[in-house]
Amino acid sequence: DARLASPGQLRRLHELLCFHDAYPDDRRVRGRVRRMLHAFSQRPELRRHRNALAGSGIAGTDTPYRFFWPTAHWIAQHWPGALALDRNDEEAIREILAALPPLLEPAQSEWLIARHPKDLGPVDRLVPQGMTDADFIISLIAAMPGDDFSREAFGDRLDLSYVLRPGPGTPERTTARFDRTEVHFQTAELQGGYPDLRLEARHGPRRVQALRGRDALAAIRLARISMITRERDVAAFQFANTGDVFLVDDGRGLAFAMMGMIPERRATLPATYTALTLKNGVPIGYIQVEVLGRHGALSFNTFEAFRSAEAAQVLARFLAAAHHLFGCTDFSIEPYQLGAGNDEGIDSGAWWFYHRLGFRPHTGQARRIAARELAKRAANARYRSPPRTLRALARWHMFYSLDQQERAQLPRSHHWLAAATDATRHYGQRTPAARRDATVADALARLGRAKPSRLGASQRRMLVRWAPLVLALTAQGRWSAGDRKRLLRLILAKAGPDERGFQQQLLHHTRLRALLDC
C-alpha cells in the first residue's frame, strides 16, 4: 500500500516482483506477488511517472522502438490502434513523405505531392477514421505487390520509429507468462557459480514435449512479446514455425520454449533453433543455437533482472539440451555476443562470463591480453577489466568442446558459400530465372538425378538455394552414388516440417561433414 516517490523505486519494485515470480519461496509468496503484478498498472504513482518509465515494458507504459517490419505488422494485426508513429523522429518523417506517394491512390498521390509537405499534417488527412497513422502506413506496405521479402525490405528501408501505447491486452512484460510448466518453489540457495559444462552435458533434460495448436501459438506469442517489451527484435521469433515448437523441461522450474523457423526463412546451411528461457513460466532470457553437424554457434541473453541469479547454470543446461537434442559437442560465441559493437556485452562483462565457463579464444593476441588481465586480477582482487580492454578481447570468437581431445573451431560455411557464389558466375543467361534454371539443372545432373517429381513448393525453393552449393561441393573429388543420393535427400529435408531431420542426416553424411569441417 506504500506510495513510491520516484520512477526508479517503481521500476525496482517491479523487477523484484518479477524475480520473486520466477523464484517464489512458496505458494503464499507466489500468490501475493502475482496479485501485485496484475494490479501494478493501476498504481497511482505509475500513472504519474508513466512518461519516465517509457521503454521499460512495464504494464501501463509506452514502448518506443524502431520495430522491424515483421514485428510492426504483427502488432498492427493483433492490436489495431495501439501503434503510432513517433513524430519526434524527423528523419523517419522525411522517409515516409518520400516513400508514400507511390503507395497511394493516384488522386491522393497527386494531391500530396502538390502540397510539398514538410511534416505529417497533410498525411493525417489521408488516414481513415478510426485508424492510427502507423496502422495506415503499415496497411499500405502490406498491400504492396510482390512477396513478404520485398515488403519486408521496403518496410525496413523506411526504418520507422513507433510508439506502442498501452491498452487492453497489449504487449507488456509485467504479467506475460507461460503457465504450462510445473511450479518449483525456491527452498534452497540459488545455483550460482560456474558449473562444469562437461559434467552437466552428461545429464540431458528431464522431458521434451512437442507443443501443438494453442500451446505452440502461446509460446511464440510470449517470445515475441518478451522481445517487444524489451525493445528487441529476433528474426527466429518473428518467423517461428508453429509446427516445430517444443518445451524442453529441465526440472526445478527451468524450461526452454524452443522453436525452429519456417522453411523460407531458414539459413542455407545451419539449422537455427531459438529458445525463450522460462523459470516457473516467467521469461528470464533467450538463447539461440545455429547447429551444423557437431558445431553449435551460441547467442545467449539473460534479461537484466535475472543476471545475478543462475545465468551460468542456465547456459550450462541449455548446452546439455543442445548436446542431447542435436548432437552438438563443439560450441562458439561470436564477437558481437562478447561486446564487439554491443555495449550491453561490454557492460555485463560477457567475455569473462564465458571465460569462467571454460570458453577460450584461439587467437594468440587474445590469449596474451587475457593473461595480462588475469595477472592484474591476481595482484589486486578488486581489479576489473576496463571497457577498452573488453572491446579488444571481443574481436575474436571464443570456443568450447565437450570432448577434451578435440579443438572446437568454426565450420567452413563461409568458404563454401563463397565457392557457391563463384560457381554461379559461369551462367550468362540474361534473366535471373534462366540462370537459376540452368544452375538447378546442372546441380541435378551432378547428383545423378533428373528433376525429382512431386516436390513441394518449399522443397523446390530449397533445391534452388542449394544448387550453387552442390556445384561447388561436388567439384571436390569423386562422390559415390550413395553420397550424392544422401546429399539430395538432405537438401529436401532442409525444407521439411522441422530442421532436426536435416541435422540428423548431416551427422550421418561423413563426406559432407568433412568438407564443411563440422
Side-chain angles (χ1 to χ4, degrees):
D1 297 327
R3 291 292 176 261
L4 303 180
S6 70
Q9 289 181 334
L10 269 172
R11 185 168 189 146
R12 177 67 174 158
L13 173 61
H14 182 272
E15 300 309 273
L16 287 169
L17 291 173
C18 288
F19 189 91
H20 280 287
D21 198 9
Y23 295 89
D25 296 70
D26 51 39
R27 195 174 305 279
R28 181 188 63 84
V29 169
R30 184 170 186 260
R32 180 70 179 275
V33 162
R34 291 212 158 187
R35 286 193 297 273
M36 291 181 70
L37 286 170
H38 279 277
F40 206 87
S41 64
Q42 303 306 312
R43 296 181 70 98
E45 64 265 54
L46 180 74
R47 291 193 289 271
R48 185 166 64 251
H49 296 300
R50 176 184 161 187
N51 291 338
L53 290 169
S56 67
I58 296 173
T61 64
D62 292 343
T63 299
Y65 190 58
R66 303 173 86 96
F67 294 112
F68 287 113
W69 159 252
T71 299
H73 188 213
W74 186 73
I75 294 172
Q77 286 179 307
H78 286 79
W79 296 280
L83 208 58
L85 294 174
D86 182 354
R87 302 210 169 199
N88 293 320
D89 190 336
E90 296 180 357
E91 181 181 353
I93 290 173
R94 287 194 295 270
E95 292 288 347
I96 293 170
L97 295 175
L100 196 55
L103 304 180
L104 299 170
E105 297 298 326
Q108 293 176 322
S109 177
E110 293 171 20
W111 174 82
L112 184 63
I113 292 171
R115 292 293 302 271
H116 302 291
K118 302 298 182 184
D119 56 37
L120 293 181
V123 176
D124 290 336
R125 293 183 61 179
L126 301 172
V127 178
Q129 291 184 352
M131 184 178 281
T132 68
D133 50 8
D135 286 351
F136 176 60
I137 300 296
I138 290 169
S139 71
L140 293 176
I141 298 173
M144 287 175 57
D147 57 16
D148 287 342
F149 290 93
S150 58
R151 286 186 282 271
E152 180 186 357
F154 185 87
D156 287 349
R157 171 63 182 81
L158 288 180
D159 193 23
L160 302 183
S161 291
Y162 301 97
V163 178
L164 175 59
R165 295 168 176 161
T170 54
E172 43 85 7
R173 64 183 181 88
T174 305
T175 64
R177 304 290 185 263
F178 192 75
D179 289 325
R180 290 160 180 79
T181 59
E182 296 179 11
V183 178
H184 169 80
F185 295 114
Q186 193 69 35
T187 57
E189 291 185 7
L190 298 175
Q191 290 186 290
Y194 293 85
D196 185 323
L197 298 183
R198 295 188 179 97
L199 185 62
E200 292 289 338
R202 296 177 188 173
H203 310 288
R206 185 174 70 168
R207 182 175 63 233
V208 178
Q209 174 190 358
L211 298 179
R212 305 295 185 201
R214 291 181 179 178
D215 285 345
L217 291 172
I220 294 171
R221 177 188 176 97
L222 180 60
R224 291 174 176 171
I225 287 175
S226 297
M227 299 302 103
I228 289 168
T229 53
R230 291 171 174 86
E231 299 180 331
R232 299 171 184 266
D233 253 319
V234 175
F237 292 150
Q238 293 172 350
F239 304 113
N241 181 3
T242 56
D244 190 18
V245 183
F246 48 101
L247 188 70
V248 180
D249 181 356
D250 202 63
R252 299 180 69 255
L254 177 64
F256 303 99
M258 196 172 293
M259 52 201 76
M261 299 180 73
I262 55 177
E264 56 267 33
R265 294 289 181 162
R266 293 170 184 169
T268 303
L269 281 170
T272 302
Y273 279 89
T274 310
L276 185 67
T277 309
L278 304 169
K279 185 70 174 181
N280 287 318
V282 179
I284 65 170
Y286 62 98
I287 314 176
Q288 181 170 292
V289 60
E290 296 181 4
V291 183
L292 192 64
R294 296 289 183 185
H295 181 265
L298 293 168
S299 300
F300 175 60
N301 187 285
T302 301
F303 298 145
E304 187 175 1
F306 308 96
R307 286 178 187 164
S308 299
E310 300 179 321
Q313 183 66 28
V314 168
L315 180 59
R317 297 311 306 151
F318 183 83
L319 261 64
H323 176 59
H324 285 267
L325 287 170
F326 307 120
C328 296
T329 57
D330 298 342
F331 298 93
S332 67
I333 307 292
E334 68 172 357
Y336 178 80
Q337 293 295 315
L338 301 170
N342 173 12
D343 289 340
E344 187 177 346
I346 298 299
D347 294 340
S348 65
W351 199 94
W352 288 112
F353 171 81
Y354 293 110
H355 188 274
R356 292 187 184 100
L357 281 166
F359 284 80
R360 295 291 184 270
H362 290 337
T363 309
Q365 188 174 347
R367 287 177 172 272
R368 287 190 292 273
I369 296 172
R372 288 198 297 268
E373 291 299 292
L374 289 170
K376 292 177 182 178
R377 184 173 295 181
N380 177 6
R382 300 179 63 183
Y383 175 78
R384 295 294 181 267
S385 300
R388 180 179 178 181
T389 301
L390 292 173
R391 290 190 176 92
L393 287 167
R395 290 164 55 193
W396 302 281
H397 284 76
M398 296 183 80
F399 299 89
Y400 186 88
S401 179
L402 295 175
D403 185 345
Q404 288 181 291
Q405 307 304 315
E406 295 291 331
R407 185 175 187 264
Q409 58 188 8
L410 295 177
R412 300 183 70 203
S413 305
H414 293 296
H415 168 84
W416 288 110
L417 291 174
T421 301
D422 291 340
T424 60
R425 297 180 63 192
H426 298 293
Y427 296 90
Q429 288 82 356
R430 301 301 298 173
T431 66
R435 291 193 291 272
R436 284 194 298 268
D437 290 344
T439 307
V440 171
D442 286 353
L444 287 171
R446 294 274 187 94
L447 294 172
R449 290 288 301 271
K451 187 174 183 179
S453 58
R454 299 180 182 178
L455 294 184
S458 293
Q459 290 177 316
R460 289 194 296 272
R461 286 194 293 266
M462 194 59 68
L463 192 58
V464 170
R465 288 176 62 179
W466 267 74
L469 262 176
V470 169
L471 296 178
L473 291 165
T474 55
Q476 296 293 313
R478 297 185 62 182
W479 284 58
S480 69
D483 281 342
R484 286 180 282 150
K485 183 178 180 179
R486 285 191 292 273
L487 179 57
L488 177 58
R489 193 161 57 235
L490 178 148
I491 293 168
L492 299 182
K494 191 69 156 103
D498 61 64
E499 290 195 88
R500 282 172 284 175
F502 163 81
Q503 167 65 4
Q504 288 301 315
Q505 291 196 37
L506 177 57
L507 287 174
H508 291 95
H509 201 302
T510 307
R511 183 174 183 81
L512 181 56
R513 279 187 54 209
L515 289 172
L516 294 174
D517 205 3
C518 65

